[in-house]
Amino acid sequence: RVQLVESGGGSVQSGGSLRLSCAASGTTYNSDCWSWYRQAPGKEREGVSTIDGDGDITYADSVKGRFTVSKDNFKKTLYLQMNSLKPEDSAMYYCVVSDNCFGTDLYGMDYWGKGTLVTISS
């Protein structure tokens, strides 16, 4: 019911910044949870940040204080401002819309974008 397209990935040096965007098309609901997930090669998928239907925001401990998530409801676009980037932030970053969530744990139906690659060099 929703299609997601991420953009903004790239290669930067450690300490740099990137801003990811996720544009949604199709049907979204005010109750939806919007999330950023990431997966590095050989590692498990990790929830980075989620905005739930009430606007409450959760961050993974690994990104607290460095990443900021925001959403433009009119544009149906999710953003992730990433500052003070570290090599361990290198991963494919995915945008996800889900029916429900608890923190960064997703429940119900979920819809994923194809991802945008972030590479941080030391």
Side-chain angles (χ1 to χ4, degrees):
R1 60 156 164 106
V2 60
Q3 296 78 43
L4 304 167
V5 179
E6 302 95 337
S7 61
S11 298
V12 298
Q13 290 189 327
S14 181
S17 298
L18 285 172
R19 189 190 194 211
L20 306 184
S21 298
C22 168
S25 58
T27 302
T28 59
Y29 301 103
N30 291 336
S31 58
D32 285 339
C33 297
W34 292 62
S35 302
W36 287 101
Y37 267 67
R38 67 185 181 185
Q39 188 165 24
K43 295 188 176 181
E44 291 189 358
R45 193 173 59 187
E46 175 188 22
V48 176
S49 183
T50 296
I51 300 179
D52 69 15
D54 294 325
D56 294 328
I57 295 173
T58 302
Y59 293 101
D61 288 342
S62 58
V63 306
K64 281 181 182 175
R66 300 187 299 121
F67 290 11
T68 303
V69 67
S70 60
K71 183 161 70 80
D72 185 322
N73 291 322
F74 180 74
K75 294 182 178 179
K76 293 203 290 187
T77 301
L78 183 71
Y79 302 98
L80 185 68
Q81 178 65 44
M82 306 187 295
N83 298 328
S84 302
L85 284 161
K86 305 175 181 180
E88 51 264 43
D89 294 318
S90 296
M92 186 70 80
Y93 283 70
Y94 299 93
C95 176
V96 191
V97 170
S98 60
D99 290 343
N100 211 339
C101 59
F102 183 77
T104 57
D105 294 330
L106 309 181
Y107 299 94
M109 292 296 294
D110 52 61
Y111 307 87
W112 292 68
K114 293 184 178 180
T116 185
L117 184 63
V118 171
T119 304
I120 311 302
S121 57
S122 57

